[in-house]
């Protein structure tokens, strides 16, 4: 290395890294590697020494790399001290397979990243480089960044629960940390993911969104990792895959709980090694993506019931973000309603500016199972159907009616003089919507449930009850 220019902070004092490892050969290897890169290095041979050195030089230490198994003080306990005393200093832990459970624990305690032994020296170099690059960028361009972001369409809400989410979004956006967003359908998970991306240092790079429940297992893998020509029937060309397409940017893995256990193992490997291997190939391609995952399932339950790997869960859940359901922040309904009213009036070139008292009351009394998405759909539909400047009354119908603009005559019921059988009418009505939703989603219950603003469990129950079978549906369609 003769080029000083490529070294970090060539002119200022070099950043200092503390290395704590009980193996002399490992300390030597890491020191040599990092000093060659232009960093200044401090070393410690056990936990106690590490803590002492840390306390003595805390002001100049900017990164800690520590082993998890050391004499005198267990690595997890050591990490706990670091995080308690200086939570802003990133810690990378080095783990062997035998200390795998501790690695999971370390991530939970706030380690920035972990590296598995034996490792590739390139991986160390890249990891350290990434950490310092992020710091430098953060220190040099916060103002311009904020201005650009302000122009971006955003999340709104005044309730403390959503305010807390927005605060977290601002806080975590500029880091490269992996985020796991949990929340019911329609609560704004994708919106939050975009907000994070567009406030991050990666904002000029791609934001790639993948719905993991929309593909079969093998298709999802080739979509994510890419494939080479001839890897399987139908693979007529090379395909680079979403991981590489998102290179430099953010990969949003939506409906993460719907991924098979096999795919989970493969994703975990990519996240650990930061390399992808396209289906049918042996070559590895480096990938640089920030991962944001989302789900409307209870992940802890998924892990407990062994449908989701614990190690991948911790890998993804570095920063958890929970979006509250709309019914828990009903105070925001008027604000959101106003926002959607303005948005859709503008789009449809109308000037609807108000709601009657009756309409307002209807909106605030409703329970909003489909959350903000359902509210938006309803407002959109009423804007489409209203003339004049006020929405007089609100009809809560299935959200797809709004989305498709096919309300029909449902808002104006006609009862013939000999009466009707309401139960049967309603069942027929429901069945029509279930069929339509299943048709639109190729029989995918999860997606159909979303379209109808109901839970997966509820759609499954209704489909069974009304005997809407996919087969029957196909026959009907044929
Ligand atoms: N806080 C908010 N402010 C403004 N609009 C919002 C807010 N939250 C959600 N929305 C809007 O509601 C709709 C649904 O949001 P989004 O798609 O992000 O939800 P989701 O949680 O990903 O839903 P699903 O689980 O169904 O995929 C979008 O049109 C989004 O713009
Ligand atoms: Mg979504």
């Amino acid at each position: 290395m003769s080029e000083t220019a490529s070294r970090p902070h060539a002119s200022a004092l070099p950043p200092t890294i503390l290395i704590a490892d009980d193996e002399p050969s490992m300390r030597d290897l890491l020191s040599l590697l990092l000093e060659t890169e232009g960093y200044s290095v401090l070393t410690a041979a056990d936990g106690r020494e590490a803590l002492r050195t840390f306390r003595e030089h805390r002001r100049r230490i900017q990164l800690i790399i520590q082993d998890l198994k050391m004499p005198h003080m267990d690595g997890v306990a050591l990490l706990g001290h670091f995080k308690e005393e200086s939570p802003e200093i990133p810690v990378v832990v080095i783990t062997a397979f035998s200390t795998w459970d501790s690695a999971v624990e370390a991530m939970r305690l706030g380690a920035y990243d972990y590296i598995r032994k034996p490792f590739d020296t390139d991986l160390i170099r890249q990891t350290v480089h990434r950490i310092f690059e992020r710091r430098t960028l953060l220190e040099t361009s916060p103002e311009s960044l904020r201005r650009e972001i302000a122009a971006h369409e955003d999340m709104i809400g005044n309730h403390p629960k959503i305010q807390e989410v927005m605060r977290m979004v601002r806080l975590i956006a500029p880091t490269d940390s992996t985020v796991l967003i949990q929340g019911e359908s329609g609560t704004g998970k994708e919106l939050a993911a975009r907000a994070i991306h567009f406030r991050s240092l990666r904002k000029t790079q791609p934001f790639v969104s993948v719905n993991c429940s929309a593909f079969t297992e093998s298709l999802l893998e080739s979509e994510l990792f890419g494939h080479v020509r001839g890897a399987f029937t139908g693979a007529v060309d090379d395909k680079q895959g979403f991981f590489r397409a998102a290179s430099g940017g953010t990969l949003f893995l939506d409906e993460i709980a719907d991924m098979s256990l096999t795919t989970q193992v493969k994703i975990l490997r990519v996240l650990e090694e930061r390399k992808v291997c396209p289906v049918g190939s042996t070559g590895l391609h480096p990938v640089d993506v920030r991962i944001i995952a989302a789900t409307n399932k209870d992940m802890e339950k998924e892990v407990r019931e062994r449908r989701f790997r614990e190690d991948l869960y911790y890998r993804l859940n570095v920063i958890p973000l929970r979006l509250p359901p709309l019914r828990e922040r009903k105070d925001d309904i008027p604000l959101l309603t106003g926002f959607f009213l303005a948005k859709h009036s503008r789009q449809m070139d109308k000037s609807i500016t108000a709601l009657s008292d009756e309409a307002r009351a209807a909106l605030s009394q409703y329970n909003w199972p489909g959350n903000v998405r359902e509210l938006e759909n309803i407002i959109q539909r009423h804007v489409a159907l209203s003339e004049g400047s006020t929405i007089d009354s609100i009809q809560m119908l299935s959200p797809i009616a709004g989305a498709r603009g096919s309300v029909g005559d449902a808002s104006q019921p006609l009862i013939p003089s000999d009466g009707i059988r309401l139960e049967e009418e309603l069942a027929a009505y429901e069945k029509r919507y279930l069929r339509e939703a299943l048709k639109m989603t190729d029989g995918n219950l999860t997606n159909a449930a979303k379209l109808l603003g109901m839970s997966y469990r509820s759609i499954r129950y209704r489909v069974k009850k009304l005997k809407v079978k996919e087969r029957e549906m196909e026959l009907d369609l044929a």
Side-chain angles (χ1 to χ4, degrees):
M1 289 260 323
S2 58
E3 274 178 40
T4 28
S6 69
R7 294 185 184 177
H9 298 255
S11 56
L13 277 180
T16 303
I17 302 174
L18 171 63
I19 296 169
D21 200 310
D22 57 329
E23 274 174 61
S25 61
M26 189 62 86
R27 287 198 303 276
D28 290 348
L29 170 72
L30 287 172
S31 301
L32 182 68
L33 181 75
L34 295 169
E35 278 169 357
T36 313
E37 293 288 306
Y39 298 102
S40 158
V41 171
L42 294 167
T43 58
D46 62 54
R48 266 205 313 246
E49 191 190 335
L51 199 54
R52 217 170 32 239
T53 314
F54 166 75
R55 285 176 176 157
E56 203 173 314
H57 300 277
R58 184 180 349 218
R59 306 188 64 168
R60 50 185 273 241
I61 293 175
Q62 292 173 11
L63 170 66
I64 299 166
I65 301 180
Q66 68 157 98
D67 192 9
L68 274 186
K69 225 171 130 196
M70 284 181 292
H72 299 315
M73 189 191 292
D74 157 64
V76 173
L78 179 64
L79 171 71
H81 281 289
F82 289 150
K83 284 285 123 187
E84 198 183 308
E85 296 182 24
S86 298
E88 74 287 356
I89 302 181
V91 180
V92 173
V93 300
I94 297 192
T95 74
F97 269 108
S98 58
T99 51
W100 181 236
D101 285 345
S102 323
V104 170
E105 179 65 7
M107 293 300 279
R108 212 177 57 73
L109 280 175
Y112 180 84
D113 206 346
Y114 67 75
I115 290 173
R116 257 190 198 180
K117 264 194 264 194
F119 52 76
D120 184 349
T121 51
D122 265 352
L123 185 59
I124 299 269
R125 227 180 262 128
Q126 276 172 25
T127 305
V128 170
H129 182 69
R130 216 159 36 89
I131 291 172
F132 283 107
E133 197 177 50
R134 183 191 110 216
R135 245 186 108 100
T136 313
L137 276 168
L138 254 180
E139 284 165 2
T140 52
S141 59
E143 192 49 51
S144 57
L145 217 73
R146 235 176 284 143
R147 244 179 288 122
E148 252 185 80
I149 287 152
H152 201 78
E153 190 182 353
D154 238 337
M155 316 177 64
I156 57 167
N158 284 328
H159 192 280
K161 284 190 182 177
I162 198 78
Q163 284 282 326
E164 174 59 17
V165 170
M166 293 180 265
R167 197 183 67 82
M168 279 296 283
V169 163
R170 281 191 296 274
L171 202 69
I172 63 186
T175 73
D176 247 350
S177 298
T178 303
V179 183
L180 177 63
I181 306 177
Q182 289 181 256
E184 288 176 19
S185 185
T187 47
K189 296 186 294 296
E190 178 145 7
L191 191 67
R194 288 179 192 275
I196 294 171
H197 173 75
F198 286 104
R199 285 183 155 85
S200 79
L201 305 171
R202 297 170 171 266
K203 67 178 187 331
T204 55
Q205 305 296 320
F207 175 89
V208 176
S209 168
V210 192
N211 182 346
C212 299
S213 71
F215 302 97
T216 59
E217 178 177 317
S218 56
L219 197 55
L220 178 62
E221 288 178 7
S222 89
E223 291 290 334
L224 286 172
F225 312 130
H227 61 240
V228 293
R229 197 176 146 198
F232 47 85
T233 342
V236 285
D237 273 312
D238 283 4
K239 183 187 178 82
Q240 70 164 355
F242 291 132
F243 266 97
R244 282 162 74 201
S247 190
T250 303
L251 180 62
F252 178 53
L253 297 174
D254 203 0
E255 312 286 3
I256 192 93
D258 294 339
M259 224 162 40
S260 75
L261 286 159
T262 331
T263 310
Q264 291 173 28
V265 180
K266 295 183 183 165
I267 298 248
L268 182 65
R269 287 200 69 150
V270 177
L271 300 188
E272 279 175 3
E273 294 169 10
R274 297 205 187 87
K275 289 194 179 107
V276 279
C277 177
V279 176
S281 141
T282 50
L284 285 171
H285 300 269
V287 286
D288 166 29
V289 292
R290 180 201 204 155
I291 302 288
I292 302 181
T295 177
N296 54 18
K297 299 227 170 105
D298 175 350
M299 286 303 275
E300 283 179 3
K301 181 157 172 268
E302 295 300 301
V303 169
R304 245 186 350 261
E305 295 175 0
R306 308 214 172 273
R307 282 186 298 272
F308 203 86
R309 291 180 63 99
E310 189 179 20
D311 45 12
L312 180 58
Y313 171 62
Y314 284 119
R315 202 32 151 166
L316 295 171
N317 197 30
V318 177
I319 296 179
L321 202 60
R322 275 181 196 278
L323 287 175
L326 185 55
R327 66 182 167 280
E328 287 178 17
R329 54 175 188 115
K330 277 192 164 184
D331 294 356
D332 278 344
I333 291 174
L335 180 73
L336 287 163
T337 303
F339 175 71
F340 295 135
L341 208 55
K343 174 175 162 187
H344 294 290
S345 293
R346 196 171 59 229
Q347 276 174 13
M348 293 180 226
D349 215 8
K350 293 194 171 192
S351 51
I352 296 162
T353 49
L355 280 94
S356 69
D357 289 347
E358 187 202 327
R360 278 174 206 285
L363 291 177
S364 55
Q365 275 154 22
Y366 188 57
N367 199 35
W368 302 109
N371 294 297
V372 185
R373 182 199 305 288
E374 187 181 6
L375 175 61
E376 179 165 6
N377 284 346
I378 283 186
I379 299 297
Q380 183 182 16
R381 178 162 57 87
H382 283 77
V383 169
L385 296 177
S386 292
E387 285 155 23
S389 62
T390 308
I391 292 176
D392 297 323
S393 67
I394 295 280
Q395 244 98 46
M396 304 293 180
L397 279 178
S398 162
I400 62 166
R404 312 234 86 200
S406 60
V407 187
D409 53 6
S411 52
Q412 207 33 275
L414 290 173
I415 304 179
S417 55
D418 54 346
I420 58 158
R421 291 167 178 275
L422 185 59
E423 293 290 345
E424 280 176 26
E425 289 287 325
L426 289 176
Y429 201 64
E430 191 176 352
K431 204 162 171 172
R432 255 173 42 213
Y433 276 110
L434 287 170
R435 279 214 189 111
E436 176 64 10
L438 285 167
K439 189 169 103 188
M440 283 168 66
T441 57
D442 290 331
N444 181 317
L445 280 181
T446 309
N447 291 343
K450 214 176 289 168
L451 274 179
L452 298 173
M454 57 173 69
S455 69
Y456 176 79
R457 205 206 289 250
S458 160
I459 195 171
R460 207 180 44 190
Y461 167 77
R462 282 160 203 267
V463 162
K464 249 197 208 138
K465 186 183 80 177
L466 295 168
K467 300 199 178 60
V468 183
K469 294 203 190 77
E470 275 171 64
R471 229 178 65 78
E472 178 197 347
M473 197 187 83
E474 276 162 21
L475 290 178
D476 271 17
L477 293 176

